[in-house]
Amino acid sequence: MNQAWIVFVKELRDALRDRRTLLRLALPAVLMGPLLLSALSGLIASLEERADKREVLVVGMEAAPTLANYIERQTYTMKPAPADYEAQLRASTLLEPVLVVPKDFEARLRVGEAPTVEIVSDSANQRAMAGTGPLRGLLQGFSHERAVLNLALRGVSTELLEPVDVQERDLASAQARAARLTSIIPMFVIMAVLYGALTAALDSTAGERERGSLEPLLMNPAPHGALVAGKWGAVALLGMAVALLSSLSFIPAQWLLKSDVLQAQFSFGGGEVLAFWLLQIPLAAGLSALLMALAIRSKTFKEAQASSTLVITAISLAPMVSLFNPGGEAPWYLWVPGLAQNTLMLAVLKGEALRIGQVLPGVVVGFALAAAGLAYVARSMRAAVAR
């Protein structure tokens, strides 16, 4: 243990001495929270601002005074759409859907026929598509009002239109609702662990081999297990340090939130930072050993970087599995590195209490991966000395 500690301190000192590399790792981690939450809250604030304006772009509304009257009573303002609104919607320069009213709207309405009203948008224009829902709700409200008036004029009870009283009850807490908007945060923390450990893992193995300092180190009488453990400890610690910086950055980032709704629902404090950091320990342990195992067989730092691409791709794509699985969270998620941490951190964001049965699979897999990777690195070092 004493020899492993000496190697650990030596590797940590070497890593901290390279200030330029440390700055490249620490700066994105520190800026991650403010940039991400600022962009997210800016988007939500713009949608809220558009909803507060309550404006409707219309074409041919002069042919539908009854519909215009209903829209005005709902405190909406009608504005004429540009002449080339279709081209602007396709080009995403127009960010609002357009309500198109036919010329025979009132005539068909008087004889009891249903006039056709169009909501023109472009599915590739996401901002315009987001406005179709409120516009559709306006038209449904108008249709319901007309149906109620027609029944009342004929002496028919208007309750026939709504034989069932439907009421919605949302079971999600404020934190859970906010987690739907901030679900991308865990992925950034996971990538912080990966990139924090990546440079140190490659430099302590392939980098030393390329500089010619690995072989002299292996000639020391210290057991190879102690050398490997010391290097691995330093690599894992750097990954955890970058993850901690990344998690801490979301605390001051909350001050930059522009959306009142998100500011009221999103709560991220010291408890969440601690939970995020503890959940990354198995991941950092396993990834550090895996990256070292891939790099120990490489002759150059560049070759080791190419070998680590597969790990980077797998870890970055793992959290996306939950997005493409409509069946909800599956038990096997907790056994997949990266995906397990993403699932558990999302539970923390929702304000749910974690059970030992949820955390244990990730711990077992992470440290099993670490043990296998370190055993391979030690064996490779012994093989290098034998040659």
Side-chain angles (χ1 to χ4, degrees), residues 154-350:
R154 290 166 174 79
V156 181
S157 174
T158 58
E159 294 181 357
L160 295 175
L161 286 178
E162 297 179 358
V164 179
D165 181 18
V166 180
Q167 295 184 0
E168 294 186 7
R169 184 158 58 98
D170 190 356
L171 299 178
S173 63
Q175 282 183 284
R177 291 193 295 271
R180 294 173 54 191
L181 304 173
T182 57
S183 58
I184 196 174
I185 290 178
M187 182 176 177
F188 281 91
V189 177
I190 291 171
M191 296 308 295
V193 175
L194 176 60
Y195 285 110
L198 178 62
T199 302
L202 302 188
D203 186 69
S204 64
T205 49
E208 287 206 12
R209 182 187 294 274
E210 188 175 15
R211 293 191 299 269
S213 59
L214 182 61
E215 285 74 11
L217 179 64
L218 297 178
M219 298 305 294
N220 286 306
H224 294 150
L227 296 177
V228 173
K231 288 177 174 291
W232 168 74
V235 172
L237 180 61
L238 286 173
M240 292 298 298
V242 176
L244 180 61
L245 286 175
S246 175
S247 300
L248 287 171
S249 69
F250 289 101
I251 294 180
Q254 296 174 96
W255 306 335
L256 304 176
L257 292 177
K258 302 175 183 177
S259 168
D260 294 335
V261 173
L262 187 59
Q263 196 171 33
Q265 294 179 349
F266 182 65
S267 177
F268 196 89
E272 286 75 17
V273 170
L274 180 60
F276 273 31
W277 190 74
L278 291 176
L279 289 172
Q280 303 314 306
I281 292 178
L283 182 65
L287 285 182
S288 299
L290 180 60
L291 291 170
M292 290 175 62
L294 290 174
I296 194 65
R297 304 295 292 183
S298 303
K299 296 181 179 179
T300 63
F301 191 88
K302 187 176 181 179
E303 184 182 343
Q305 284 180 316
S307 301
S308 63
T309 303
L310 181 61
V311 177
I312 298 173
T313 303
I315 295 298
S316 61
L317 292 179
M320 300 183 67
V321 172
S322 58
L323 298 177
F324 299 107
N325 183 14
E329 297 177 359
W332 61 267
Y333 284 9
L334 302 177
W335 294 91
V336 180
L339 182 57
Q341 283 71 31
N342 183 76
T343 302
L344 295 175
M345 285 190 287
L346 282 177
V348 172
L349 287 177
K350 293 176 183 178

